[in-house]
Amino acid sequence: MRRHTTTTSALALLAFAATSGPAPASAQELLFWSTQARPVEEAQGMREEVLSGFEGGSVDYQPQDAGPFITRLRAETEADQGTIAVVGALHGELTAFAEAFMDLSAVDVSAASPALVELGRLGTDEQRYVPWMQATYLMAANRAALEHLPEGADVNALTWDELIAWGRNMADATGSPKIGLPAGPQGLRHRVVQGYLYPSFTDSMVTRFRSDDAVAMWETVRELWEVTHPRSTSYNFMQEPLLADEVWVAIDHTARLADAFNQRPDDFIAFPAPAGPTGRGFMPVVAGIAVPETAPDPEASLALLRYMLEPETQIATLRATNFFPVVDVELPDDMPPSVRAAGAAIALQSGAPDANPGLLPVGLGDLGGQFNQVYVDTFERIVLAGQPIEQVLDDGAAELRRIVTEAGAPCWAPDAPSEGPCPVE
Amino acid sequence: MPSRALPYLLLAPAALFLAAFFVYPAVQVALIAFTRGDEPTLANFARMAGHWKFDAALWNTILLAAVVVPLQLALALFMGQIVTRMGRGRDLVLYVFTIPLGISDLAAGIIWLAILEQNGFLNSFLYHLGLLESPVARLSYQNTLGLFVAVALAEIWRATAIMLVILVAGMGLIPKEYDEAAQVFGASPWQRFVKVTLPLLRPSLQTALILRTILAFEVFAVVAALAGTSMPMLMGETYAWEFQLQDRGVAASYALVILGISIASTLVFLWWLRSPKEARA
Amino acid sequence: MTATRPLRAPVASYDTTRALELATARRWLTAAVVTILCLWVLVPIWLVLVNALSTPAEVSGWPKSFLPSFATDSLAFFIGFRGVADALLNSVTVAAITMVLSIAIGAPAGYALARFDFAGKNAFRILVLMTRAFPLPLLALPLAVAYIQVGLDDTILGLAFVHTMLAMPFAVLITASLFMGVPVELEEAAWTLGCTRLQAFVKVVLPLVSPGIAASAVFAFVVSWNEVFAAAVLTIENRTLTAFLLQSLNVSPLHLKFAGAAVLVLPALLFLFAVRKYLFAMWGIANR
């Protein structure tokens, strides 16, 4: 043959690949397929601090972007055969796969918070996932920002209007906007709109989506945006612009602020989200763990789930990921600065007299992504593209109604419970 | 001479390979675009075209390719010509020119973000020169032109090397005698370049343009890093519909749009730069 | 700054002084242009290395220094990562198989496209190109399902097949344009001297195009090295370095982002440096 040597070496390589190919599946290697703890240091922490203590076998913790995560999980479901032993992801990422997960009623979840256990049923009769860890959104500020606080404002009981005034003071003093929002492609902006703005201004998430209050709210958001750093459309994790001093005041979820507190504990403070006319809206971030129907060794997977819920594991998880336990635990004193800062602010936020907690959407199935997109689109169209508020809200409301009706999802807090699909006024 | 079967025999391995690893999955994806709940429908396309970001994504993608590809072609030809005329140090310079080949688009996004961000190297450089007192935000969503220029710069930096290598390989095959003959007749370097090099380079030009344009339509990671959500692109929208919105029908429709404009641009280049001589056996 | 030195371009020497002056001026101009172009390529890479070798505070600080402080913590974090060595080996193996397969399959097709006129030629050409025009993340799902069913899942070879598919357009089209550049007359002359088609190819065409073929093999290597999505979905235990590092990079803290980018970029640079001779060895032929 003309390319004799090439062909030979090709064969040699193929032979090598064949022998080094599928590693002989060690019976006890459990694949933990996750979207959480993706930053390399957190993944390292999960492997070395959290999962190394599991005695039922060695665990291969593989954090993934949403893309590969979803693709692999779907592929295994479609092929009806798989390697994933345990799936870990946010509530919103798990809802689309309710059908693919085993019923976990055999796992004792009595120590976990009942509200979170209920979320894990995904609107069905079976336990599709068990809660794994939780967080919430908080505000973080550089101490340098505090001197610009508007007269009479208490940073621990801030209102949205005061936040805007604060932002204006900072912009005037420094020459550039100093408030940051996580409005980048992977930022959690939809949750800020759903769980913080809407409940604070309309006491609703779905039903009063296009009310007069909502119009007033979006006008406020436009004002806020004027004093918000224009790079916000690229921010995914607020800890980075905070550490770069690009922004001084930001809202994001605790795990995405943690690095700021841990790197420069003396420079940053954490405090509750602002309040609006209808209270201080806030929302949990809940991650769950589930076992696919295709798991190679379901018993071992269940054992790993039980291990993840043990108090010591939960504390180790908190250290590794900055997500808080879902079971009652006594936190030791030597927690990292991010945990201490966030812990105090969370207590203030949920204990505030005007607290208005919201729940995560349930029963939306694989429409959860489109539900979130309505809020993202509304934000981008009104605030970034400057389109007329009423028009955008009409479009969004129609889309919301379609999604909620298609999924048959009843209302959840702060909306009043409904018979049948949650109405959109 | 072995018969008409020879070209097909030569193609067979590639064709079979592509059938198994490309056509089979691609057809499955394409079918999803035309169905919804097992019913044949065009609803996915309607949904895609009706979304408020679709037009922007389509035009941004086409515009970026239309700006970046010609600039890259010019730059690659220029670099190629310079190197062909060099003697000593040519290997080293060529190596330097091809370095970006080894850099993935995600890494390129990280690199250019480090340069252009508010606290980045560009602002630091201006500061050290005394031209800037405090950091200025350069990549803001209001500054559409700035974002576009940033993305274009990063793309030109990252992906010119691929055209360069194809063109330099082609230049190497042009017999020196042609150039020397032109020189004897007193043609200026520019005349020689336009009248001798370019026409003889046609096959390589065609390949370089086709490949680069198709790759330009797939731009994603660089845009995500530099422009965030402010500059929708077809590829980014495909990702969003597939993974965030989990609507595979619409995502597949986007994929077919990308495929469509790629085929269209390929046909244009195939026709425009057709080689009269290529059909010889 | 960077380690580039202006490189002198030699010019043919003429007799008159005037021509000599002109030549000197042109030489300096060329050197200046080459230097600028080299800086354009090298400075951004230099800056990554600066960031990779700086402390976290320096990476997010202002104003930035253009010289590294040689803090190696961030880099050490990656190099000490469990499994990096295995992932590196996997990356190299996948890329090498991809390189060989794409040339073994692609070059014959390239020759067919260059030398023959046949029905379906343009259709084939477009088919090859379409592998790059179709978003891979969508192809990954049906591929992964098929892989799991066939048993190719989580194998080096299976991943190399996908990468070969991605590298195919480079292999086919670049080799085709190389073959097109070799005048048919050369081959025909060999036939009239009694060579068979195969002999003529081996003795006349191959020596002329082999450097170019090496170049397209280098492309295949680079394509495979940088591919992340298929690698993340189709391999579990046999992760490539890119899948291992890159997919979590965009959400990692800034200093680790740069260290990770450096860890990924450096091997690719070394590889290109090692094969630079093959990339451009075709210079010799032009002087035939």
Side-chain angles (χ1 to χ4, degrees):
Chain A
M1 257 315 287
R2 60 191 157 94
R3 222 167 290 117
H4 181 69
T5 47
T6 327
T7 321
T8 323
S9 49
L11 288 176
L13 268 170
L14 292 187
F16 170 67
T19 50
S20 77
S26 55
Q28 291 306 328
E29 178 88 350
L30 293 175
L31 176 60
F32 193 143
W33 194 245
S34 168
T35 59
Q36 298 305 296
R38 266 184 299 151
V40 282
E41 283 168 312
E42 293 184 16
Q44 191 86 325
M46 280 300 294
R47 293 185 185 116
E48 290 179 358
E49 310 299 327
V50 180
L51 294 165
S52 57
F54 178 58
E55 283 164 358
S58 70
V59 183
D60 180 13
Y61 185 77
Q62 299 244 358
Q64 293 288 341
D65 266 349
F69 174 84
I70 291 170
T71 305
R72 174 96 207 169
L73 193 51
R74 261 190 206 147
E76 295 199 352
T77 311
E78 276 183 33
D80 202 19
Q81 179 186 341
T83 25
I84 298 174
V86 167
V87 170
L90 294 180
H91 169 84
E93 293 163 331
L94 293 169
T95 50
F97 292 96
E99 314 270 289
F101 297 140
M102 287 174 50
D103 178 24
L104 299 173
S105 304
V107 178
D108 177 18
V109 287
S110 55
S113 129
L116 299 183
V117 173
E118 179 59 37
L119 275 179
R121 295 181 185 275
L122 296 177
T124 68
D125 302 331
E126 295 181 353
Q127 196 71 37
R128 296 299 183 175
Y129 75 77
V130 296
W132 170 20
M133 51 191 195
Q134 59 175 331
T136 188
Y137 292 74
L138 287 176
M139 301 286 296
N142 194 313
R143 285 191 190 276
L146 293 178
E147 62 176 285
H148 303 289
L149 255 184
E151 201 95 356
D154 173 5
V155 76
N156 285 325
L158 213 59
T159 67
W160 286 98
D161 287 333
E162 284 167 343
L163 177 65
I164 295 170
W166 190 8
R168 196 161 290 130
N169 291 349
M170 289 188 289
D172 290 345
T174 65
S176 81
K178 286 291 182 190
I179 293 181
L181 297 175
Q186 302 197 38
L188 298 164
R189 55 215 194 279
H190 50 279
R191 296 287 187 232
V192 175
V193 178
Q194 285 165 1
Y196 288 76
L197 287 164
Y198 263 102
S200 301
F201 285 84
T202 69
D203 198 19
S204 163
M205 195 182 299
V206 175
T207 304
R208 298 177 38 78
F209 178 81
R210 63 164 163 191
S211 53
D212 291 343
D213 291 341
V215 175
M217 172 189 100
W218 283 109
E219 275 159 4
T220 315
V221 177
R222 276 184 175 165
E223 278 179 52
L224 173 65
W225 190 254
E226 283 168 19
V227 290
T228 298
H229 199 287
R231 277 283 290 158
S232 286
T233 53
S234 297
Y235 294 154
N236 298 321
F237 284 51
M238 292 313 302
Q239 57 199 15
E240 287 176 18
L242 280 171
L243 279 169
D245 290 327
E246 204 164 281
V247 305
W248 277 355
V249 177
I251 185 167
D252 207 341
H253 95 59
T254 48
R256 294 181 172 199
L257 294 169
D259 229 35
F261 296 110
N262 288 337
Q263 272 193 34
R264 284 157 53 189
D266 299 332
D267 292 354
F268 295 103
I269 58 160
F271 53 96
T278 59
R280 194 173 300 276
F282 64 88
M283 198 183 212
V285 180
V286 178
I289 28 180
V291 179
E293 294 274 12
T294 54
D297 182 355
E299 277 314 308
S301 300
L302 291 180
L304 179 55
L305 251 54
R306 293 191 187 99
Y307 170 75
M308 296 307 293
L309 289 174
E310 285 171 17
E312 296 77 36
T313 323
Q314 291 268 309
I315 292 172
T317 308
L318 170 59
R319 284 185 202 275
T321 65
N322 286 291
F323 269 86
F324 285 80
V326 291
V327 298
D328 270 333
V329 292
E330 196 70 25
L331 289 186
D333 296 331
D334 61 338
M335 297 309 283
S338 58
V339 173
R340 277 179 279 147
I346 290 173
L348 279 170
Q349 181 164 288
S350 42
D354 52 356
N356 188 6
L359 276 184
L360 288 164
V362 267
L364 291 173
D366 58 3
L367 294 171
Q370 301 188 28
F371 177 81
N372 292 339
Q373 191 64 26
V374 173
Y375 295 87
V376 172
D377 278 351
T378 307
F379 174 81
E380 291 188 356
R381 289 177 65 181
I382 293 178
V383 178
L384 303 185
Q387 299 180 14
I389 294 176
E390 283 83 359
Q391 172 66 45
V392 176
L393 290 184
D394 283 348
D395 292 353
E399 181 73 359
L400 270 189
R401 191 175 300 125
R402 181 188 70 79
I403 292 166
V404 175
T405 315
E406 205 173 298
C411 293
W412 58 91
D415 284 306
S418 66
E419 304 266 326
C422 194
V424 185
E425 281 173 7
Chain B
M1 224 15 24
S3 55
R4 281 192 202 154
L6 185 55
Y8 294 104
L9 282 177
L10 290 168
L11 282 188
L16 289 176
F17 188 87
L18 289 179
F21 292 95
F22 174 67
V23 177
Y24 163 77
V27 167
Q28 284 190 303
V29 174
L31 287 178
I32 296 173
F34 292 102
T35 50
R36 195 162 266 272
D38 292 334
E39 297 281 310
T41 172
L42 289 176
N44 293 318
F45 288 94
R47 192 106 198 266
M48 168 187 72
H51 192 261
W52 69 286
K53 273 192 173 174
F54 174 74
D55 287 350
L58 180 63
W59 291 119
N60 282 345
T61 305
I62 292 177
L63 190 65
L64 187 71
V67 168
V68 163
V69 175
L71 286 174
Q72 287 182 317
L73 180 67
L75 186 61
L77 281 172
F78 181 65
M79 287 169 142
Q81 281 295 299
I82 287 202
V83 202
T84 25
R85 279 156 217 271
M86 280 180 70
R88 222 147 43 86
R90 188 160 65 182
D91 279 0
L92 188 61
V93 169
L94 259 176
Y95 166 65
V96 170
F97 284 179
T98 50
I99 280 178
L101 268 187
I103 293 171
S104 71
D105 51 353
L106 219 156
I110 293 176
I111 293 174
W112 280 86
L113 185 60
I115 296 173
L116 297 171
E117 66 178 342
Q118 184 163 355
N119 284 355
F121 285 106
L122 177 62
N123 279 343
S124 299
F125 184 62
L126 296 175
Y127 173 84
H128 287 304
L129 288 183
L131 295 173
L132 196 72
E133 282 179 13
S134 65
V136 200
R138 295 183 184 276
L139 298 170
S140 84
Y141 78 99
Q142 299 117 323
N143 188 355
T144 321
L145 185 66
L147 287 179
F148 190 88
V149 170
V151 170
L153 269 181
E155 277 292 290
I156 291 173
W157 180 80
R158 179 183 75 86
T160 301
I162 194 173
M163 294 183 103
L164 176 74
V165 173
I166 297 174
L167 293 176
V168 163
M171 286 176 191
L173 286 168
I174 300 174
K176 279 240 154 135
E177 291 79 12
Y178 291 135
D179 199 55
E180 283 161 7
Q183 218 164 348
V184 170
F185 288 112
S188 69
W190 175 252
Q191 280 174 323
R192 278 182 276 141
F193 174 70
V194 174
K195 297 263 157 93
V196 178
T197 309
L198 275 189
L200 289 170
L201 207 52
R202 204 178 264 253
S204 301
L205 278 176
Q206 194 187 53
T207 309
L209 278 171
I210 289 176
L211 272 176
R212 186 58 208 120
T213 309
I214 288 182
L215 295 179
F217 288 147
E218 298 230 310
V219 63
F220 171 67
V222 169
V223 182
L226 293 175
T229 52
S230 316
M231 202 167 138
M233 286 281 167
L234 288 178
M235 196 64 180
E237 291 302 296
T238 312
Y239 275 52
W241 283 91
E242 175 86 4
F243 300 125
Q244 270 110 61
L245 288 99
Q246 309 223 356
D247 189 326
R248 295 176 57 204
V250 178
S253 309
Y254 266 104
L256 292 182
V257 170
I258 299 177
L259 192 69
I261 57 174
S262 301
I263 293 181
S265 75
T266 304
L267 290 175
V268 167
F269 287 128
L270 282 179
W271 167 80
W272 183 40
L273 294 167
R274 63 194 176 280
S275 308
K277 275 203 297 184
E278 77 185 41
R280 303 185 61 163
Chain C
M1 284 296 287
T2 54
T4 16
R5 277 179 309 149
L7 296 146
R8 296 228 185 88
V11 249
S13 54
Y14 298 95
D15 288 339
T16 66
T17 7
R18 171 142 173 71
L20 208 64
E21 271 167 24
L22 249 171
T24 319
R26 191 178 293 161
R27 194 170 65 192
W28 281 106
L29 186 68
T30 313
V33 170
V34 167
T35 311
I36 290 171
L37 287 173
C38 284
L39 287 177
W40 154 250
V41 172
L42 288 175
V43 167
I45 298 196
W46 172 253
L47 298 178
V48 174
L49 296 182
V50 169
N51 263 348
L53 289 169
S54 298
T55 62
E58 287 165 342
V59 172
S60 49
W62 163 266
K64 297 237 184 322
S65 160
F66 285 79
L67 293 173
S69 62
F70 295 103
T72 49
D73 290 1
S74 311
L75 276 179
F77 179 83
F78 278 101
I79 293 166
F81 223 67
R82 189 158 54 107
V84 160
D86 286 345
L88 181 66
L89 180 67
N90 287 336
S91 265
V92 172
T93 317
V94 173
I97 301 178
T98 304
M99 200 158 95
V100 172
L101 275 180
S102 66
I103 293 303
I105 299 175
Y111 185 75
L113 287 184
R115 279 292 187 263
F116 298 92
D117 203 11
F118 55 92
K121 183 171 167 172
N122 272 339
F124 178 80
R125 197 150 28 177
I126 290 175
L127 171 70
V128 171
L129 283 163
M130 289 316 101
T131 61
R132 291 318 299 250
F134 208 96
L136 180 65
L138 301 200
L139 294 180
L141 178 60
L143 277 176
V145 175
Y147 270 30
I148 293 173
Q149 285 162 345
V150 177
L152 269 175
D153 182 44
D154 196 18
T155 63
I156 297 273
L157 189 59
L159 182 59
F161 282 149
V162 176
H163 287 178
T164 303
M165 183 262 285
L166 294 175
M168 197 67 89
F170 298 99
V172 173
L173 294 186
I174 295 176
T175 53
S177 65
L178 288 167
F179 289 129
M180 256 181 250
V182 179
V184 169
E185 291 79 4
L186 287 182
E187 259 182 294
E188 285 167 351
W191 301 344
T192 54
L193 293 176
C195 286
T196 64
R197 184 147 206 148
L198 184 63
Q199 281 170 328
F201 178 86
V202 173
K203 291 192 176 151
V204 178
V205 182
L206 203 54
L208 287 174
V209 295
S210 53
I213 286 186
S216 65
V218 172
F219 271 114
F221 190 98
V222 170
V223 165
S224 168
W225 179 269
N226 283 328
E227 197 286 320
V228 50
F229 197 97
V233 172
L234 297 177
T235 61
I236 301 294
E237 306 213 343
N238 295 303
R239 285 267 122 130
T240 63
L241 189 66
T242 323
F244 193 73
L245 288 184
L246 202 64
Q247 34 130 353
S248 52
L249 224 50
N250 57 339
V251 293
S252 293
L254 216 46
H255 59 283
L256 292 180
K257 238 184 224 181
F258 287 104
V263 169
L264 275 173
V265 165
L266 280 180
L269 293 195
L270 292 178
F271 173 76
L272 282 176
F273 188 73
V275 301
R276 70 192 186 286
K277 284 257 149 50
Y278 298 99
L279 250 182
F280 293 108
M282 69 274 286
W283 292 104
I285 18 173
N287 300 323
R288 67 183 175 261

